[in-house]
Amino acid sequence: MDAALAERIALSAAPAAGDGNLLRFITCGSVDDGKSTLIGRLLYESKTIFEDQLTTLEKDSKKHGTTGEDIDFALLVDGLEAEREQGITIDVAYRFFATPRRSFIVADTPGHEQYTRNMATGASTADLAIILIDARKGVLVQTKRHAFICSLLGVKNVVLAINKIDLMEYDEKLFQRIVADFSAFAANLGFTSILPIPLSARFGDNVTALSPNTPWYRGKSLIEHLETVEVGSKLGQAPFRFPVQWVNRPDLNFRGFAGTLASGRIRAGDDITVAASGRTTKVTRIVTADGDLPEAVAQDAVTLVLAEELDIARGDVLSDPKDRPDVTDAISAHVIWMSETKLTPGRSYFMRIGTRWVPATVSALSHKIDVNTLAQVEGRDLGLNEIAEVEIRTATSIAVDPYEENRGTGAFILVDRLTNETAAAGMVVRSLRRATNVHRETLAVDKATRAGNKYQKPVILWFTGLSGSGKSSIARLIERKLTASGHHTYMLDGDNLRHGLNSDLGFTEEDRHENIRRVGEVAKLFVDAGLIVLCSFISPYKRERDFVRSIVDDGEFIEVFVDTPVEECIRRDPKGLYARARTGEIPNFTGISSPYEAPQNPDLHLKTLEADAEALAERVLEYLRANAIAGENWASP
Amino acid sequence: MHAHLKRLEAESIAIMREVAAEFSNPVMLYSIGKDSSVMMHLAMKAFYPGKPPFPFMHVDTTWKFKEMIAFRSEMAKRYGFDLIVHINEDGVRRGINPITSGSQVHTNVMKTEGLKQALDKYGFDAAFGGARRDEEKSRAKERIFSFRNANHAWDPRGQRPELWNLFNTRIKQGESIRVFPISNWTELDIWQYIEAENIPIVPLYFAKERPVVKRSGTWIMVDDERLPLEPGETPEMKLVRFRTLGCYPLTGAIESEAATLDDIVEEMMLARTSERQGRLIDSDESASMEKKKREGYF
C-alpha cells in the first residue's frame, strides 16, 4: 500500500478536519482556459480515476488528445460521443470526487456565450464557482459574463483560478494585475469571498499543494480551500420556509406534511403560518424514519405533524409566523431564456415555484441585460440565452421571497404550455403587490377561475349564414389557430349535435327552434367551463340568435355573419343540397323555400366574395385580440 | 452518518416524493443489486410512516444468480412490498440467452425489450432506476428526470435543463420518464451508506470461495449447469466477490478477501479499477452505454 493511500484511509477513519459535508461547485471557463484539464486533474489527484479509465484515457489521448505524449486530462471529462469528436462540451456534466475532509460535486459547464443557459443550470445548485482565467489573456469579456451569471444565480464564493501560470514564467506581477482587474469589475456583484490562486492545471501547481514555482503565493492550495471554505450557513439563518411536497396520510391516525426545508430551522413546538391563508398552528412532531427529531434545519427532508387540521395541500408554503414570505400575484424577476422559441410578453406559461405549478404571464419586459457589459438595453422579446428583468403575473397568488434573500422561495422555472419544454429560469427580484387579504377564503371555482387558468375570456363565436356560405370552414380555421396558440376551444355544429344530443329532432320549424335552443344551452355550459366556443349554424331567425345572446353575459356572444349571396351558395353547393331543395326533395330549405333573416348589426360581417377564408379568419382573430378575449399576443408559429 | 450522506439521502427522498406527487402511475425498478437496495431503503424512509405509494418491479432475464432470486423473495417478504416480476416470454420462447445469442442480443431482448414491454403493459408513466452519474462517462450528463418519448427512446437533445430542485415534470400522453434518485451518489457513498444504515445486500458482494472459470480475462461464476464448459475446463474454487451484479455469465468476479462491509469500504478506497470493468456488456464497443440508452436501455 503506498503511503498516500494509507494516509487517506487513516484520515477517513478519524474525524475529519472539514465539516465532512458536500460542497457543490461550478467551473466556469472554456476549453482553452484549461477547464476540463483542471477537473481531470482534480479527479486524478483525488484518486477518483481508476486504472481501467486511465488505460482508456491513454488510448484516447493518442487519438484525440492535444497534449502530445502526455495524458490529456481533459479527455477524462468530455462527454457524449459526438461532443467528444467535436472537442467541446455542450451540456452540464456532473463529476464527483472526495477527499477525507469533504465530498464534492462539480458542475462542468461550457463557457461560450451560446451556453449561458447551461452555465446558469450548473450555477443554480452551486455553493461556489471556480472562474478560470488564462494567464496569457487576463480578464476577458467572457470572464465578466461568467462572474455576472454566477452572481445572478446567487453564488457567493468565487475562486479566481488564474491558470497556465507556467506559460507566463510564474510571474507574480502579472498575477496581481489580473486580480486587480477582476476585483475592480466584481466589486458590485455581491460576492462574499474571492480567492485568487495561480494555477497550472496541466502540471498541478497549487492544485493539491503549494508549488515551489510560486514561492510568492502564500494562500491555500485549491483543494485545501475547497475543503475548508465556509458555505451554505446562510440558508440555515434565513427565516423558516417549508414548501409542502406530499401530504402523507397512510391511515386515519396520521396526517403529516412531507417536504424539504428550503431555509431556516424548525423545532417541535414552534408556530408555523400557512403563507397563503395566514392560518397559524403549532408543529407537534418532526417525523423521520429514524425517529422524531427535536429540530430540523435547511435541506433536511422531514414530515411535519401539526396541532390543528388546517386546509393544507401540496404547493403550500409553511413559514415563520413572524417573518412571512410575500403572498402576491405580481412579481418582478430576472429570467434567463432557455428556449429556441422567443419569450413573447402576454403569452401564458406554467410557472413552477417551490412545489407549486401556476399559470403565469410575462406582462412586461422591463429591460434586457447585456451579459457581456451588464448594460440595460431595451427589448420587446427575449431569445435563447438572453437575460432580462420582467414583470410576471400569476393566475393565483404565490408565496415568494426575493431570490437574493432566499434561493428556495425565490427561484422558479417557466414551462412552455404546448411543448412542455423548460423555457426559462427565473429569480424573484421583488413582489410588486401584496395580496390585500391574506386571510382570504379558498376561492370558489367559477367561470372566471376556469377561464383565468386558460388565459382567455370565454365567449361564443356564433357563425350564421346560408348553407354553403363557408361558416364551418372559417370556424375550423379559427379553431386550429386558437389551439395552436395554446387556447382552449370547442366547436359545435350540426355534425356533432344532430347525431347525438339532437338526434330526436327533425327539420320542422319547431324542431329547428329546439335545435338552436339546445345548442345555445350547451354553448353556455362550455362558456362556464372557460372555453371559446365556436358555433356554426345556419340559424336563420333573428329571435333564435337573440335567444342565445340573452342567456349568456354581456359581451360573451359574438355574432359573426358569414355573408355569401344565395346565388354563390347555389353555384358552390358543396353537398348538393341546393339542387335537391330546388327539386323539392328537401322542404323548408333556407334561402330556397324558407327565409333567412340576415343580421342587421352583426359583431363581425364577413363577406366571402371579397376575401378568402384565411383572411377572414385572421379578421376574427384580430377582433378577439382587440377585445382581449384570447390574450394580447399570439405566438407566431 | 457522514454529513454528506445525510444530504444525499435528503435529496433522494425529495426526488421520490416529487415523483409520487406528480405522476399518476410510477414504479420503482428493482434490480436486486446494491444500488437498488439503497434506493428501496430510501423509498421506505421517504414515505414513512406510510409505505411507498408505488409498486416495485424486477425485469428478470432468467439468467440472474440464484442467490439474487432468493434474496429478492426474502426482501419482498421482509418489507411486504408489491413486487412485479416481468420476464420477456417472447425472448424465452426464442431461446435468447447470453451464451449463444451473445451479450448484446441477450441484453437487448431480455432487459431492454423486457423493460419496455413491462412499462407498456402496466402503463407506468414514471420509472425509478438506480443509475448513478459516476458509473460511466456518458452518464455524467444524464438528467435526474430523463424523458422518453412514446417509443421509450431517449433523445439527448430533448432533455430538459434541471435548475435548483425545480423539476419540470410535465409530460404528454404516452411519454414517460425515468427517474434516477441516486444520480449524485458515488460507489463509495453507496457502500458507506449501506454500512451506516445496515442495509441488507445480496451475499455475492462478500468474498467467499466460489466455483469460477476464467473468461475474457475475468472470473465467471459457474452458477448453474447452463454455463457450457470448454473441453477439459473445470471450475476452480476461488475467493471472489462481485462489485456489480447482473446476468451471471456476463458478470465478472474479482479476487478479493473482503468479507465484511468494512473490508469492502477499505477495498474501495484502494480500488484501482472502476466497478463497470467487471461488466462484459459495456466493453463491447466504446461509448456502448450511450448507444444502449438511445435504444431504451435504462
Side-chain angles (χ1 to χ4, degrees):
Chain A
M1 184 190 302
D2 77 34
L5 283 167
E7 185 195 14
R8 225 175 134 217
I9 290 170
L11 270 171
S12 75
D19 57 9
N21 211 331
L22 198 57
L23 180 83
R24 301 187 67 138
F25 67 89
I26 179 176
T27 50
C28 318
S30 69
V31 178
D32 309 334
D33 301 331
K35 177 176 61 73
S36 297
T37 308
L38 177 62
I39 298 171
R41 167 67 67 178
L42 288 171
L43 300 187
Y44 180 76
E45 297 288 351
S46 63
K47 313 282 190 288
T48 310
I49 300 171
F50 297 114
E51 265 167 22
D52 54 324
Q53 292 172 321
L54 266 182
T55 310
T56 315
L57 179 63
E58 276 165 23
K59 260 192 285 173
D60 284 0
S61 294
K62 293 202 179 97
K63 197 169 153 199
H64 305 287
T66 55
T67 51
E69 286 301 298
D70 294 340
I71 290 179
D72 186 349
F73 288 113
L75 292 177
L76 264 178
V77 295
D78 285 344
L80 304 176
E81 246 177 323
E83 295 168 11
R84 187 164 62 184
E85 300 301 331
Q86 291 162 18
I88 190 166
T89 50
I90 53 168
D91 211 324
V92 187
Y94 295 90
R95 321 282 176 193
F96 307 84
F97 67 96
T99 71
R101 294 161 134 186
R102 258 185 186 165
S103 295
F104 301 92
I105 301 180
V106 189
D108 177 9
T109 67
H112 294 101
E113 185 167 350
Q114 65 266 38
Y115 306 124
T116 293
R117 62 173 164 169
N118 304 84
M119 219 199 107
T121 302
S124 73
T125 51
D127 308 307
L128 175 146
I130 297 182
I131 297 178
L132 271 116
I133 292 181
D134 184 334
R136 295 171 301 175
K137 297 175 188 159
V139 174
L140 299 176
V141 164
Q142 88 162 10
T143 314
K144 297 181 178 176
R145 181 173 70 244
H146 295 162
F148 171 59
I149 295 167
C150 288
S151 149
L152 193 65
L153 270 294
V155 179
K156 294 291 173 196
N157 298 280
V158 168
V159 171
L160 195 63
I162 300 175
N163 193 26
K164 304 194 182 180
I165 196 80
D166 53 302
L167 297 178
M168 300 305 284
E169 289 156 1
Y170 303 99
D171 182 352
E172 182 184 4
K173 286 212 180 67
L174 172 83
F175 173 78
Q176 295 300 355
R177 195 161 66 236
I178 295 173
V179 173
D181 283 354
F182 183 83
S183 305
F185 166 77
N188 297 323
L189 293 179
F191 298 127
T192 53
S193 83
I194 300 176
L195 179 74
I197 307 180
L199 278 185
S200 167
R202 190 167 167 201
F203 298 108
D205 294 283
N206 295 322
V207 175
T208 52
L210 292 186
S211 164
N213 294 320
T214 52
W216 44 265
Y217 175 70
R218 290 181 194 84
K220 288 176 175 171
S221 71
L222 177 59
I223 290 262
E224 197 191 348
H225 179 63
L226 294 176
E227 285 178 330
T228 53
V229 62
E230 279 258 359
V231 292
S233 54
K234 208 185 151 208
L235 266 186
Q237 286 153 17
F240 170 70
R241 301 284 184 260
F242 185 84
V244 174
Q245 196 180 13
W246 163 267
V247 180
N248 194 344
R249 210 169 187 180
D251 55 57
L252 292 174
N253 300 318
F254 187 88
R255 178 177 158 92
F257 301 97
T260 301
L261 273 82
S263 62
R265 47 189 64 229
I266 190 81
R267 288 172 175 279
D270 283 354
D271 281 342
I272 58 96
T273 296
V274 184
S277 67
R279 300 282 304 272
T280 297
T281 188
K282 258 188 204 346
V283 172
T284 54
R285 294 175 61 194
I286 302 172
V287 176
T288 75
D290 300 314
D292 285 11
L293 303 178
E295 185 185 50
V297 299
Q299 298 182 325
D300 287 351
V302 295
T303 300
L304 302 180
V305 178
L306 305 178
E308 287 168 81
E309 285 255 334
L310 301 183
D311 182 18
I312 298 170
R314 172 174 164 88
D316 274 320
V317 177
L318 309 186
S319 61
D320 180 345
K322 291 185 217 79
D323 197 344
R324 304 185 198 179
D326 284 327
V327 176
T328 178
D329 60 1
I331 54 168
S332 130
H334 287 123
V335 293
I336 299 172
W337 204 249
M338 302 198 150
S339 164
E340 308 267 348
T341 311
K342 288 185 171 196
L343 160 74
T344 319
R347 193 163 171 223
S348 172
Y349 296 89
F350 283 120
M351 174 191 273
R352 170 79 201 254
I353 182 157
T355 51
R356 179 129 198 240
W357 286 101
V358 60
T361 304
V362 176
S363 52
L365 203 158
S366 312
H367 57 259
K368 294 208 239 190
I369 300 167
D370 182 322
V371 288
N372 293 322
T373 62
L374 310 198
Q376 299 185 358
V377 289
E378 294 227 10
R380 274 191 300 178
D381 55 20
L382 199 63
L384 183 63
N385 290 312
E386 290 193 308
I387 297 176
E389 189 170 327
V390 298
E391 291 182 14
I392 294 179
R393 272 157 216 284
T394 54
T396 49
S397 294
I398 49 173
V400 298
D401 291 296
Y403 183 79
E404 182 68 22
E405 288 167 23
N406 202 318
R407 262 187 180 189
T409 41
F412 62 88
I413 57 171
L414 295 179
V415 172
D416 188 290
R417 296 179 65 152
L418 289 178
T419 63
N420 286 335
E421 72 172 323
T422 300
M427 290 136 290
V428 174
V429 175
R430 64 181 175 279
S431 157
L432 292 177
R433 120 177 126 217
R434 270 160 212 267
T436 45
N437 179 11
V438 293
H439 294 275
R440 79 167 86 173
E441 290 299 308
T442 318
L443 272 180
V445 178
D446 58 12
K447 179 161 66 182
T449 333
R450 295 184 200 106
N453 275 344
K454 300 178 179 66
Y455 270 76
Q456 61 191 27
K457 199 177 143 202
V459 291
I460 297 171
L461 281 170
W462 189 275
F463 296 86
T464 173
L466 293 172
S467 176
S469 59
K471 302 182 293 298
S472 296
S473 317
I474 296 170
R476 271 194 291 270
L477 205 53
I478 293 167
E479 186 178 32
R480 266 207 302 278
K481 288 173 183 244
L482 284 171
T483 305
S485 57
H487 292 294
H488 298 243
T489 60
Y490 198 79
M491 175 108 171
L492 293 173
D493 59 19
D495 288 344
N496 60 14
L497 285 181
R498 281 277 179 190
H499 295 303
L501 180 64
N502 293 351
S503 59
D504 57 329
L505 300 178
F507 289 89
T508 63
E509 192 172 327
E510 197 176 285
D511 278 3
R512 292 176 74 157
H513 283 316
E514 177 59 12
N515 181 41
I516 296 300
R517 189 190 71 78
R518 290 185 194 176
V519 170
E521 292 291 352
V522 170
K524 181 186 173 184
L525 289 176
F526 283 177
V527 165
D528 196 50
L531 302 181
I532 295 173
V533 194
L534 299 96
C535 298
S536 170
F537 294 90
I538 299 172
S539 49
Y541 301 110
K542 179 170 182 299
R543 65 187 166 95
E544 290 175 337
R545 302 188 299 258
D546 286 350
F547 162 76
V548 180
R549 189 190 291 273
S550 74
I551 61 174
V552 294
D553 289 344
D554 282 353
E556 286 179 350
F557 180 88
I558 298 164
E559 191 174 47
V560 184
F561 177 25
V562 182
D563 186 1
T564 308
V566 69
E567 302 74 34
E568 174 65 11
C569 294
I570 291 168
R571 196 188 63 75
R572 293 180 191 167
D573 200 11
K575 298 178 191 161
L577 297 175
Y578 283 97
R580 290 164 64 197
R582 286 162 93 180
T583 62
E585 192 188 329
I586 306 177
N588 298 330
F589 194 82
T590 304
I592 302 291
S593 43
S594 176
Y596 177 77
E597 298 172 10
Q600 295 310 302
N601 289 304
D603 299 289
L604 280 155
H605 190 162
L606 308 180
K607 296 182 181 168
T608 67
L609 288 181
E610 291 171 14
D612 64 8
E614 180 73 35
L616 295 171
E618 217 22 76
R619 261 192 66 198
V620 177
L621 292 174
E622 241 159 60
Y623 178 91
L624 297 181
R625 274 185 284 249
N627 289 281
I629 284 160
E632 297 166 45
N633 289 280
W634 255 263
S636 38
Chain B
M1 200 196 298
H2 287 226
H4 87 277
L5 289 179
K6 210 178 144 213
R7 215 170 130 190
L8 289 172
E9 179 190 71
E11 179 188 74
S12 302
I13 285 176
I15 292 163
M16 291 180 183
R17 288 170 173 170
E18 195 58 29
V19 171
E22 293 270 287
F23 290 85
S24 55
N25 193 16
V27 64
M28 183 167 279
L29 297 178
Y30 177 57
S31 73
I32 321 175
K34 63 183 191 311
D35 302 310
S36 263
S37 297
V38 165
M39 188 165 68
M40 179 191 290
H41 183 80
L42 289 164
M44 296 296 161
K45 293 185 98 167
F47 301 97
Y48 177 88
K51 291 208 161 163
F54 41 75
F56 291 74
M57 180 167 78
H58 179 225
V59 178
D60 193 339
T61 61
T62 73
W63 287 86
K64 301 296 171 190
F65 291 87
K66 284 190 298 246
E67 280 180 76
M68 290 173 73
I69 302 304
F71 184 81
R72 182 180 76 188
S73 315
E74 200 186 311
M75 287 302 108
K77 214 163 92 188
R78 175 171 175 162
Y79 289 113
F81 56 72
D82 185 4
L83 179 73
I84 300 167
V85 175
H86 181 84
I87 295 174
N88 182 350
E89 294 296 349
D90 176 55
V92 172
R93 265 193 303 277
R94 284 159 55 201
I96 302 295
N97 70 78
I99 294 153
T100 54
S101 317
S103 66
Q104 274 197 55
V105 171
H106 170 73
T107 306
N108 185 42
V109 174
M110 297 309 291
K111 204 167 168 180
T112 308
E113 289 303 320
L115 174 63
K116 289 188 205 170
Q117 280 172 359
L119 294 176
D120 287 342
K121 178 175 172 189
Y122 298 98
F124 294 122
D125 56 356
F128 290 105
R132 309 189 321 269
R133 284 169 172 156
D134 81 323
E135 272 176 73
E136 208 266 344
K137 220 156 82 166
S138 84
R139 284 212 160 132
K141 299 182 180 195
E142 180 65 275
R143 307 297 198 274
I144 293 173
F145 284 67
S146 179
F147 289 80
R148 308 297 159 111
N149 65 20
N151 301 317
H152 302 288
W154 174 83
D155 167 15
R157 277 163 309 172
Q159 304 301 315
R160 301 164 181 178
E162 294 183 335
L163 294 134
W164 301 286
N165 57 351
L166 301 177
F167 297 106
N168 175 357
T169 48
R170 305 195 85 91
I171 55 168
K172 292 180 181 164
Q173 192 77 31
E175 294 176 340
S176 61
I177 56 152
R178 313 281 167 92
V179 189
F180 306 110
I182 56 169
S183 285
N184 286 333
W185 296 55
T186 63
E187 189 187 7
L188 184 58
D189 296 330
I190 292 286
W191 284 114
Q192 289 179 333
Y193 189 71
I194 286 171
E195 194 173 21
E197 293 282 287
N198 201 15
I199 299 170
I201 51 168
V202 186
L204 290 163
Y205 287 110
F206 299 108
K208 196 181 138 184
E209 296 250 332
R210 295 185 170 97
V212 291
V213 291
K214 193 102 184 177
R215 295 280 165 85
S216 314
T218 179
W219 293 109
I220 297 297
M221 182 170 157
V222 185
D223 195 45
D224 58 30
E225 68 299 336
R226 292 182 294 175
L227 189 78
L229 298 175
E230 313 279 316
E233 188 182 41
T234 42
E236 45 185 313
M237 295 302 285
K238 280 247 168 218
L239 194 56
V240 294
R241 68 177 202 89
F242 295 87
R243 283 180 75 183
T244 62
L245 293 176
C247 296
Y248 83 80
L250 302 176
T251 310
I254 53 165
E255 290 179 51
S256 165
E257 292 174 4
T260 65
L261 284 172
D262 274 340
D263 295 346
I264 289 175
V265 170
E266 184 173 334
E267 191 183 88
M268 268 296 307
M269 298 261 194
L270 291 162
R272 302 305 295 141
T273 54
S274 70
E275 62 186 309
R276 287 210 158 251
Q277 194 214 21
R279 290 212 180 176
L280 299 182
I281 57 168
D282 290 347
S283 50
D284 279 351
E285 46 190 302
S286 88
S288 62
M289 183 66 80
E290 184 188 334
K291 286 212 172 69
K292 288 192 180 59
K293 229 163 52 175
R294 284 183 203 251
E295 291 157 7
Y297 181 79
F298 219 77

